[in-house]
Amino acid sequence: MFFKKQLFATTSTELKSKVLDILRQNNIKYYLKTKDNFGGGMFSERRFTGSFGMETSSRFVYQIFVSKKEYESAAYFLQQSHL
């Protein structure tokens, strides 16, 4: 992500879709990174404890990145859409 800047992060699939639609409509290229909060790595304690009691609505975090050159434009379009 050397030449990219995070524009938006959410756990909502609906909100993620709205943001991506706005970026597509305005011809702004984006990169989507999805992080699984329930997932663990090889050294994660969750391998042993599981995910019991964890809030399932926040399982995935969607991070949307755009190029640094297009960041201001993308932020403007999101602001105009009240997101």
Side-chain angles (χ1 to χ4, degrees):
M1 310 290 192
F2 190 65
F3 295 105
K4 295 180 178 23
K5 187 171 180 180
Q6 183 173 315
L7 175 69
F8 201 82
T10 184
T11 57
S12 165
T13 56
E14 294 83 15
L15 196 51
K16 173 201 66 156
S17 295
K18 287 180 184 179
V19 170
L20 296 183
D21 286 342
I22 291 167
L23 295 176
R24 281 188 213 110
Q25 290 170 2
N26 292 284
N27 297 315
I28 296 176
K29 293 181 182 179
Y30 61 87
Y31 175 77
L32 177 65
K33 182 177 178 182
T34 304
K35 178 182 174 189
D36 184 352
N37 284 331
F38 285 12
M42 191 167 109
F43 302 106
S44 172
E45 290 296 318
R46 197 162 297 122
R47 289 185 305 136
F48 305 108
T49 60
S51 58
F52 180 75
M54 293 181 73
E55 181 64 43
T56 57
S57 65
S58 61
R59 176 174 181 171
F60 295 104
V61 176
Y62 304 101
Q63 296 173 295
I64 300 168
F65 295 84
V66 296
S67 72
K68 289 180 181 179
K69 291 180 183 178
E70 294 185 304
Y71 179 83
E72 294 296 326
S73 297
Y76 172 79
F77 291 126
L78 292 186
Q79 183 180 17
Q80 293 300 311
S81 299
H82 304 289
L83 292 178

